[in-house]
Amino acid sequence: MTEKLSDTARKTVLAPLLDNGWSMVEGRDAIVKTFTFEDFTQAFAWMTRAALWAEKWDHHPEWFNVYKTVKVTLSTHDVGGLSTLDAKLARKMDSL
């Protein structure tokens, strides 16, 4: 079962993500990042690739797409905050 990140895990797991453009959501235990692409087709293609990983890991992002930008918010609803699944999906999204 997935558990909420401990204070120690937050320091080691979240620090690289925050250094790579993710930020904490104010008033919520979640991280957010806006990805910008050349056009809508590239943004949608990236969302499709990310969706395949999200489905494989049964961990689905909150996201919002307008033209060439995709704003992604990650949090694990089952644990009421951030878990290792969020960090794993964030790293995958960064690599796509």
Side-chain angles (χ1 to χ4, degrees):
M1 180 174 174
T2 302
E3 296 179 1
K4 197 170 183 178
L5 287 177
S6 68
D7 289 340
T8 303
R10 286 172 182 276
K11 291 175 186 171
T12 58
V13 172
L14 292 181
L17 296 174
L18 297 176
D19 289 343
N20 201 30
W22 292 87
S23 59
M24 297 300 298
V25 176
E26 188 174 330
R28 184 173 172 203
D29 193 23
I31 55 176
V32 64
K33 183 174 182 177
T34 299
F35 294 86
T36 304
F37 302 90
E38 287 186 27
D39 56 29
F40 175 76
T41 302
Q42 288 189 5
F44 197 87
W46 178 87
M47 290 177 72
T48 302
R49 291 190 305 275
L52 293 173
W53 286 101
E55 186 65 19
K56 178 179 179 174
W57 293 333
D58 193 27
H59 190 60
H60 305 94
E62 299 171 21
W63 54 14
F64 182 74
N65 166 244
V66 176
Y67 183 51
K68 66 178 185 174
T69 63
V70 181
K71 181 179 179 182
V72 179
T73 303
L74 297 175
S75 185
T76 303
H77 300 283
D78 293 346
V79 301
L82 290 167
S83 75
T84 55
L85 284 173
D86 300 303
K88 183 178 179 179
L89 188 55
R91 286 190 305 268
K92 178 53 74 175
M93 288 176 161
D94 283 342
S95 74
L96 293 176

